[in-house]
Amino acid sequence: MVEFTLAIPTYNRAKYLPIILERLRSQVDLENLSWEIIIIDNNSTDDTADVIHSYQAKWDLNCSLNYFLEPEQGVTFARLRAVREAKGQLIAFLDDDNLPAPNWVKEAVNFAQEHPQAGAFGGQIHGAFEVKPPENIERIQGLLAIRERGDKANLYDPINLSLPPGAALVFRKQAWDESIPNKLIFKGRLGKLKVAGDDFELLLHLHKAGWEIWYNPNMHTYHQIPHWRLEKDYLITLARGCGLSIYQLRLINASNWQEPIIFIKIFLNNFRRVLKHIIKYRNKLNNDIVARAEMEFYLSSMLSPFYSLILAM
C-alpha cells in the first residue's frame, strides 16, 4: 500500500523540473516509506514530457515516477487529476518552482501521524529571490506564496481566510474524498484577470466538513522567484486576482441568508481600507510597488461582490 503521493502540477516549466526532481532524489530517512511521485503535465507545449520520460528511463529511487497529461487547462484540473491518479493516503502538492528541504517528505509524514484531525497542512515557504526584492516586501509576501509563521505548529483560521497557499501543501486523501466536490468554482489563474482562489477554495471545503488545517514549521520549502515576479505590473495583476476572489470564497462557508450581509461588509470594510491607504500613501502610490499592490488588493476585494454578480449573469 502506498502511503504518500507527491504530485507536481506543471505547465511549460521544463527547465525547472530537473531541479525539483534532484531535490526529491535527495530526500532522507524514507527507507521504510512506500511513496510515489506523479507529474501532472497541464497541457504543456514545451519539452516537459521529454524531460520526465528521460528521468523515468534512469530513475533509481525507491519510489515510482509517473507522468500524466491533463489537457484541461488550469491548476484545479491538474490537482483533480492528481487526486484521481494518486495511490497514497497522503497527497502532497509541490509547485514546479518550489524546492523542498531534504527532510520535507519525512516531516510531512510525521506531522500527519501526530495530527490525525489535520485534513491539510502546509509548512514554511521561504522566498528564494533572483534579485533583491522591493523594500517592505514582507507586507505582500503572501501574494508570492511565502509563509513564515514561526517555529511552533499552529492552526490556521479559515473563517478569516487565514490559510496556507496551494504550493507545498499536504492533504489527507480521506479528507479530500469526503469534503471536496469534483466541480469547483476557481480553475486557476486563467485569462487576463488571473483570478486566484483555487487553493483556498479546497481548504474551505475541508474546514466546512470539520477538518483542521495546520501549519507545520518543520517542513521547509524554497520558492524560486525570478526578477519579473517582482515587477510592478505582475504584482498588481497578482493582487487583483487575489482580491477578486474574496467574495466567492466567503460564501463557501456561509448560509444563503448571510450573502447580502457579506456583500455589504466586504464592500464597506475594503472601502474604508482604500481610503486609509490613500491617505497614508497618497504621495507614494506611483513609486512604491508594495503600497500600489496593497491598494490593488483592497480595491479588487471591494469590487469582488460585483465581479461575482457579473459572473452569475
Side-chain angles (χ1 to χ4, degrees):
M1 181 177 65
V2 177
E3 299 170 72
F4 190 88
T5 295
L6 198 153
I8 304 172
T10 187
Y11 173 68
N12 283 348
R13 307 291 284 280
K15 69 177 183 178
Y16 283 87
L17 293 174
I19 305 173
I20 188 171
L21 287 174
E22 291 302 324
R23 285 294 183 103
L24 294 177
R25 288 169 73 108
S26 302
Q27 292 293 300
V28 298
D29 298 330
L30 302 181
E31 293 80 10
N32 297 320
L33 180 71
S34 176
W35 66 301
E36 64 177 349
I37 299 170
I38 59 177
I39 308 296
I40 307 297
D41 181 354
N42 195 199
N43 205 30
S44 297
T45 57
D46 63 1
D47 58 347
T48 289
D50 292 337
V51 169
I52 299 305
H53 294 329
S54 174
Y55 262 86
Q56 286 176 316
K58 58 185 179 182
W59 194 249
D60 58 358
L61 204 60
N62 67 330
C63 71
S64 60
L65 174 62
N66 303 305
Y67 169 89
F68 300 97
L69 175 65
E70 175 48 60
E72 193 79 30
Q73 203 69 52
V75 69
T76 293
F77 296 110
R79 288 173 180 155
L80 290 171
R81 178 65 181 275
V83 172
R84 290 198 302 271
E85 302 293 350
K87 298 175 183 176
Q89 297 171 312
L90 298 172
I91 305 173
F93 289 97
L94 277 177
D95 282 1
D96 50 22
D97 57 2
N98 277 249
L99 302 180
N103 63 346
W104 194 86
V105 172
K106 183 188 95 169
E107 293 295 345
V109 173
N110 289 345
F111 192 86
Q113 292 172 345
E114 295 166 1
H115 297 79
Q117 287 305 310
F121 54 91
Q124 301 204 48
I125 305 179
H126 311 286
F129 298 99
E130 182 183 34
V131 298
K132 184 179 179 181
E135 187 177 355
N136 296 320
I137 191 66
E138 64 277 1
R139 298 208 317 251
I140 60 168
Q141 65 180 14
L143 298 176
L144 296 166
I146 295 173
R147 289 292 188 279
E148 295 165 328
R149 289 167 57 97
D151 297 328
K152 293 185 178 180
N154 55 77
L155 279 165
Y156 277 96
D157 180 13
I159 295 298
N160 292 306
L161 297 186
S162 170
L163 292 164
L169 188 61
V170 183
F171 287 88
R172 198 177 298 275
K173 193 171 191 298
Q174 178 190 352
W176 184 296
D177 290 343
E178 292 177 356
S179 311
I180 297 177
N182 289 323
K183 192 170 184 180
L184 295 162
I185 300 170
F186 299 100
K187 306 299 186 285
R189 294 180 181 276
L190 303 172
K192 292 183 179 180
L193 292 176
K194 308 292 184 188
V195 177
D198 45 273
D199 42 8
F200 281 19
E201 181 180 8
L202 301 172
L203 296 168
L204 288 169
H205 282 295
L206 288 187
H207 170 71
K208 189 174 184 179
W211 290 93
E212 296 174 348
I213 300 163
W214 280 82
Y215 165 76
N216 175 10
N218 296 324
M219 290 164 49
H220 293 267
T221 312
Y222 300 86
H223 185 193
Q224 302 173 85
I225 301 177
H227 67 90
W228 54 268
R229 283 191 174 176
L230 298 174
E231 294 175 357
K232 181 178 179 181
D233 288 346
Y234 178 83
L235 289 174
I236 288 175
T237 300
L238 198 62
R240 181 184 303 130
C242 290
L244 288 175
S245 69
I246 294 298
Y247 178 68
Q248 288 171 292
L249 289 173
R250 290 285 188 188
L251 293 185
I252 291 174
N253 285 316
S255 302
N256 290 338
W257 66 268
Q258 294 175 303
E259 291 185 19
I261 299 172
I262 293 171
F263 190 110
I264 294 169
K265 284 183 67 175
I266 286 177
F267 178 80
L268 291 179
N269 287 343
N270 283 285
F271 181 71
R272 175 181 53 81
R273 293 166 86 185
V274 166
L275 290 179
K276 289 179 66 176
H277 207 66
I278 289 174
I279 293 170
K280 186 174 181 178
Y281 295 104
R282 58 184 177 275
N283 297 323
K284 299 180 180 179
L285 286 176
N286 289 331
N287 301 315
D288 188 330
I289 294 176
V290 171
R292 182 65 184 84
E294 289 175 319
M295 171 63 82
E296 192 66 30
F297 177 74
Y298 300 150
L299 280 170
S300 300
S301 298
M302 182 179 73
L303 297 174
S304 65
F306 302 98
Y307 174 74
S308 180
L309 287 178
I310 292 172
L311 290 179
M313 291 180 180

